[in-house]
Amino acid sequence: MPFPAFPPAIRLAVIVGQPSEPGPYTIRVKAPHGEKLMPHKHPEDRVYTVISGVFYIGLGDEFNASKLEAYPPGAVIILPGDTPHFHWAKSGEYVTQVTAMGPLGLEYLSAKDDPRNNNP
């Protein structure tokens, strides 16, 4: 389903738990080729597992393609809470699975990048 904090083409599926509530949750995120998630952070520690495609993630306060690291299917990435990062579906669609302790939070470092601020 669409998720208000993501660009419109990116989809989120809840696998286990209730991400908006305290407690464990698992979600899957599908991003079509070319989609970007601009620099943002989450308060919760996260474990990303790449399900399909190549997951490109970079660390930092600004989007910088040279900082992207490519992770193939099966890769696991640990991301501590409050770590600024960004994603790009650079080479094609990807699906990642995210496991964390809720509630899920997502804060863009620049308000102009937050799709929730662009609704009429």
Side-chain angles (χ1 to χ4, degrees):
M1 69 180 123
F3 183 62
F6 288 163
I10 297 177
R11 296 291 184 256
L12 179 148
V14 176
I15 306 299
V16 175
Q18 184 52 261
S20 61
E21 303 291 327
Y25 71 84
T26 299
I27 59 173
R28 287 195 181 171
V29 176
K30 179 169 77 170
H33 181 242
E35 286 294 319
K36 293 179 181 176
L37 276 168
M38 299 308 283
H40 62 282
K41 59 185 178 174
H42 310 277
E44 69 272 21
D45 296 339
R46 293 178 146 214
V47 178
Y48 291 83
T49 304
V50 182
I51 303 297
S52 65
V54 178
F55 180 54
Y56 289 86
I57 183 172
L59 302 181
D61 295 344
E62 295 181 14
F63 188 93
N64 181 340
S66 70
K67 290 185 175 182
L68 290 165
E69 301 241 0
Y71 292 93
V76 175
I77 302 104
I78 306 291
L79 189 69
D82 294 319
T83 301
H85 63 287
F86 45 91
H87 313 284
W88 184 12
K90 183 177 172 183
S91 63
E93 177 183 280
Y94 69 77
V95 175
T96 58
Q97 183 165 288
V98 180
T99 301
M101 294 294 288
L104 182 156
L106 194 157
E107 176 189 345
Y108 285 90
L109 301 187
S110 174
K112 71 176 176 49
D113 292 330
D114 190 336
R116 296 169 290 195
N117 295 333
N118 298 327
N119 294 331

